């Protein structure tokens, strides 16, 4: 897609675009397939806008608190603490997606992939009675590590100039 005009390059059949972007420019009719999270798990925190301010800026912190969406905050917290628990680095192909199910339970899916995608591990757990993002992350991390996530992540080089 080229800018807001919506013109497509001649060979656009192999492009993956965010549906939200197509909606924004009024071109949802051009979407040939919309992937579900079971078909293509997104990167941790994908699509979430994070806002921050200085700790000592009370008025701005108050405004930001009014913008916070608690359900999204719980979901992205589960995703981020899962990523932290796996000790990934800047090149780690780790995916995570947390949603709040209609019954209120958190549902967290996590995956780690080898660089070429030939090896991967997958885990999916629900929050159950506690519905605590940290507990849920622990269960997903433990299962991914049991399946070999550490070896997959360790086998991918770090970013140049980073440890």
């Amino acid at each position: 897609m080229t800018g807001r005009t919506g013109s497509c390059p001649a060979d656009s059949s192999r492009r993956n675009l965010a549906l939200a972007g197509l909606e924004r420019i009024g071109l949802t009719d051009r979407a040939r397939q919309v992937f579900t999270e079971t078909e293509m798990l997104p990167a941790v925190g994908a699509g979430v806008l994070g806002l921050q301010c200085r700790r000592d800026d009370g008025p701005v912190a108050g405004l930001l608190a009014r913008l916070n969406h608690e359900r999204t905050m719980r979901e992205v917290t589960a995703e981020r603490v899962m990523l932290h628990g796996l000790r990934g680095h800047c090149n780690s192909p780790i995916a995570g997606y947390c949603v709040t199910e209609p019954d209120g339970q958190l549902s967290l899916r996590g995956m780690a992939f080898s660089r070429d995608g030939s090896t991967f591990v997958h885990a999916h757990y629900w929050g159950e009675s506690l519905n605590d993002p940290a507990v849920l992350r622990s269960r997903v991390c433990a299962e991914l590590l049991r399946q070999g996530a550490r070896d997959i992540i360790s086998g991918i080089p770090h970013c140049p100039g980073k440890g």
Side-chain angles (χ1 to χ4, degrees):
M1 306 303 282
T2 307
R4 293 189 176 267
T5 63
S7 61
C8 288
D11 183 22
S12 61
S13 63
R14 292 180 296 247
R15 297 198 195 286
N16 288 322
L17 302 171
L19 185 60
L22 292 174
E23 287 171 352
R24 202 170 298 120
I25 59 175
L27 296 174
T28 54
D29 60 313
R30 295 202 186 173
R32 293 189 181 157
Q33 179 174 359
V34 177
F35 295 106
T36 67
E37 71 276 357
T38 58
E39 295 170 308
M40 183 181 289
L41 205 61
V44 169
V48 175
L49 179 62
L51 303 172
Q52 63 183 12
C53 68
R54 294 182 313 274
R55 279 183 216 254
D56 62 350
D57 196 338
V60 172
L63 289 172
L64 294 181
R66 292 176 50 198
L67 295 173
N68 188 40
H69 188 260
E70 285 299 323
R71 187 188 80 217
T72 301
M73 177 66 99
R74 282 191 7 223
E75 293 166 354
V76 79
T77 296
E79 294 175 16
R80 292 186 60 163
V81 294
M82 179 202 70
L83 179 66
H84 180 74
L86 291 172
R87 297 187 339 254
H89 52 76
C90 61
N91 282 338
S92 299
I94 298 172
Y97 186 68
C98 185
V99 294
T100 303
E101 298 289 349
D103 65 0
Q105 281 191 341
L106 291 175
S107 166
L108 176 61
R109 296 175 187 273
M111 293 184 85
F113 307 84
S114 61
R115 191 174 219 166
D116 66 1
S118 63
T119 305
F120 64 91
V121 293
H122 176 265
H124 182 198
Y125 283 96
W126 288 264
E128 297 173 359
S129 62
L130 291 177
N131 224 20
D132 180 345
V135 172
L136 184 57
R137 146 326 233 181
S138 295
R139 293 179 68 203
V140 172
C141 275
E143 180 58 22
L144 292 172
L145 292 169
R146 187 193 68 72
Q147 293 178 38
R150 173 64 24 229
D151 291 336
I152 292 171
I153 295 165
S154 296
I156 297 172
H158 283 48
C159 297
K162 306 221 178 184

